[in-house]
Amino acid sequence: MQHVITAAPVTQDVLDGLFDALRAIGQTIMAIPAANEKRRQIEVLNSMTDSQLAARGLRREDIARHVFATGAL
């Protein structure tokens, strides 16, 4: 009695799909620190008084827009 094991060859499409998935995972992991920094900046600005925000030329409702547009305090 013979046993024959066959395996389909891995095609370039399969490899490309795998690499694309791994690349997407890597990009997501790399984006986490930037997102955490933006969240921290928003928390710092939200903790300020309206007078302090005004001194920076900001209104409370513009904090998120400001952080995501400039990325800085």
Side-chain angles (χ1 to χ4, degrees):
M1 174 184 222
Q2 283 186 326
H3 294 281
V4 178
I5 298 174
T6 60
V10 176
T11 65
Q12 189 62 40
D13 289 341
V14 171
L15 291 175
D16 288 344
L18 177 61
F19 290 140
D20 288 345
L22 291 173
R23 189 176 302 110
I25 291 169
Q27 289 171 341
T28 301
I29 290 170
M30 296 300 291
I32 290 171
N36 285 339
E37 177 61 18
K38 289 187 185 304
R39 180 193 50 78
R40 188 194 67 73
Q41 290 173 358
I42 289 171
E43 287 176 357
V44 167
L45 291 171
N46 271 327
S47 70
M48 293 182 178
T49 65
D50 289 341
S51 298
Q52 290 170 320
L53 290 172
R56 292 175 173 259
L58 289 172
R59 295 178 304 164
R60 192 162 303 282
E61 59 267 21
D62 296 330
I63 290 173
R65 186 180 307 116
H66 171 75
V67 169
F68 284 95
T70 63
L73 291 174

